[in-house]
Amino acid sequence: SAGGGLTGTPTAGGSFNFTVTATDSATGATRYTGSRSYGLTVGAPNLLLDTTPLPSTSVGAAYSASVTATGGTPPLSFAISTVGGGALPNGLTLASDGTLSGTPTLSGPFTFRVMATDANGCQQSGAQSTLQIRSTIGGTVSGLDAGASLTLANGADTKTVNANGPFAFPTPADSGSAYAVSLQNVSATPPQFCDVTNGTGTVGTGNVGDIGVNCATHLALGVNDDADYATYGESLDYVVGVHNPT
């Protein structure tokens, strides 16, 4: 101001150099002025991005999480940093309000950096974040009788199935990990036999869904004869029946 006061609210951080000139109130040749250079450093607002790890998810599962920050002048906006920012998982987007959402289409670890900008244009990038996208392991059960059940295992992970159709183990797996699915037991009356196809492999960038579990009912073979014995050289006729045991 004319009185020498330097006032206001800075809207950007940085170093600023300027010159102030003072003039006295005299007129004519006796009027004097003087100038001096000054430097002013304005610190950027203390914008801090939350460092809480983002929750992991699996391929094909709807995802929603929030990126937040404190400090600065609201409202804050968020974007992927263009300097060492990395990339979001395929299928996910970051909205300006910090909502990270979508449905991932590929598995793997994805590393990226988020930048926050406040209402005055002050920016701050956070540390790199890693979001882990995993793959589900599953397939299809067929031939299982109504009321029957079976239990499958993939290492320490187990899955009990009570009906025909698709199934998936409860624990997703990392890309590049091996899987080996085996049949633990079958509970069925009459008894059923089940086998596993495509039960071993290595997880790629998508879900594993081609494991087959095919079941069939055990059949009993019965012979109905009309004689208890035969003499030497005598032939007997038999009736062979195939039926489900009860």
Side-chain angles (χ1 to χ4, degrees):
S1 69
L6 181 62
T7 61
T9 303
T11 60
S15 296
F16 301 88
N17 299 311
F18 54 94
T19 300
V20 175
T21 300
T23 304
D24 67 11
S25 59
T27 59
T30 59
R31 188 176 191 183
Y32 294 94
T33 63
S35 298
R36 182 177 175 179
S37 297
Y38 293 89
L40 176 64
T41 299
V42 178
N46 193 23
L47 272 172
L48 295 176
L49 280 91
D50 187 8
T51 58
T52 302
L54 292 168
S56 62
T57 187
S58 56
V59 173
Y63 184 84
S64 181
S66 294
V67 176
T68 61
T70 58
T73 303
L76 304 181
S77 62
F78 300 87
I80 298 300
S81 175
T82 57
V83 179
L88 289 174
N90 298 65
L92 298 188
T93 58
L94 178 64
S96 60
D97 66 354
T99 301
L100 180 62
S101 62
T103 302
T105 59
L106 296 175
S107 63
F110 295 84
T111 301
F112 51 91
R113 191 186 302 271
V114 175
M115 179 178 65
T117 304
D118 76 354
N120 293 323
C122 296
Q123 297 179 329
Q124 180 65 51
S125 293
Q128 283 191 329
S129 299
T130 298
L131 177 55
Q132 183 71 47
I133 310 296
R134 296 184 169 91
S135 299
T136 59
I137 297 177
T140 304
V141 173
S142 62
L144 189 66
D145 287 344
S149 66
L150 57 86
T151 300
L152 300 166
N154 177 40
D157 203 15
T158 60
K159 175 67 176 179
T160 297
V161 181
N162 300 302
N164 293 313
F167 73 90
F169 285 93
T171 305
D174 290 336
S175 176
S177 62
Y179 62 92
V181 176
S182 60
L183 183 68
Q184 296 295 289
N185 62 71
V186 180
S187 176
T189 304
Q192 286 197 282
F193 170 79
C194 302
D195 64 345
V196 177
T197 58
N198 299 324
T200 60
T202 301
V203 178
T205 58
N207 291 330
V208 176
D210 63 346
I211 300 172
V213 182
N214 307 297
C215 300
T217 301
H218 281 295
L219 297 178
L221 183 66
V223 176
N224 180 21
D225 59 346
D226 294 328
D228 294 330
Y229 60 92
T231 60
Y232 178 78
E234 181 183 7
S235 63
L236 295 176
D237 294 328
Y238 293 93
V239 176
V240 178
V242 178
H243 62 89
N244 288 335
T246 55

